[in-house]
Amino acid sequence: MPAELALDLQFGEFAGAAGHRGLLKPAKVRRWMAAALCGPADITVRIVGEEEGRALNRQYRRKDYATNVLTFDYSREPVVSADLVLCAPVVEREAREQGKPLEAHYAHLLVHGTLHAQGYDHETNDRDALEMEALEILLLASLGFPNPY
């Protein structure tokens, strides 16, 4: 059974926000993320435009560009507490470039960010990257999505 998830889903002000809001219904987002959780969680997901995404990436990672997903993990025990920020224009562009449905790419990035919030990391070494990638593939398959890689 999926873990309990308290979800706060927010949308910033950006061109096309209404379309993303229509695609990302709270129940759907909650189902995707809960599948990736090992225990209870309190997570805020904010869907932002390019300007806000770039500002956050610059401020917190010192990288001057908008990235697809940022994970801010605050605690893992007894409850996972985190914020996920997804940059809608970047997610949309990547989905188009990779030839995949926008919904599938959002599902992948939400699972990916949820794993990061629990301590998974693909940037430490190849073994950790392979473990995280394999877990993402399994979780997405359980949700009805194809291999994102």
Side-chain angles (χ1 to χ4, degrees):
M1 178 164 167
E4 180 184 331
L5 169 63
L7 173 67
D8 180 12
L9 181 58
Q10 304 174 357
F11 292 84
E13 297 290 326
F14 60 92
H20 293 266
R21 184 185 302 269
L23 177 66
L24 297 171
K25 298 294 186 195
K28 185 188 300 186
V29 171
R30 182 176 286 107
R31 185 171 61 86
W32 296 341
M33 294 173 65
L37 288 167
C38 295
D42 184 356
I43 300 177
T44 296
V45 173
R46 183 163 173 81
I47 311 301
V48 302
E50 193 105 20
E51 187 177 320
E52 187 175 345
R54 182 178 185 170
L56 289 167
N57 202 28
R58 183 174 47 239
Q59 180 178 354
Y60 292 101
R61 295 180 65 227
R62 297 185 185 9
K63 297 186 181 202
D64 193 21
Y65 58 87
T67 189
N68 53 16
V69 61
L70 293 168
T71 302
F72 300 92
D73 58 332
Y74 307 115
S75 70
R76 296 182 186 142
E77 294 290 332
V79 175
V80 171
S81 176
D83 292 334
L84 303 183
V85 179
L86 286 85
C87 183
V90 173
V91 175
E92 199 166 8
R93 183 173 57 247
E94 288 177 347
R96 190 172 46 255
E97 289 170 354
Q98 296 170 22
K100 62 175 79 165
L102 182 57
E103 180 180 55
H105 197 39
Y106 265 122
H108 177 214
L109 294 174
L110 287 162
V111 164
H112 182 86
T114 302
L115 291 175
H116 271 307
Q118 297 172 98
Y120 287 89
D121 192 348
H122 56 87
E123 296 179 348
T124 50
N125 59 56
D126 288 343
R127 183 171 180 260
D128 289 348
L130 288 172
E131 177 185 0
M132 188 170 175
E133 184 176 308
L135 187 52
E136 289 172 8
I137 292 167
L138 288 172
L139 290 168
L140 288 163
S142 77
L143 293 167
F145 293 102
N147 182 335
Y149 297 102

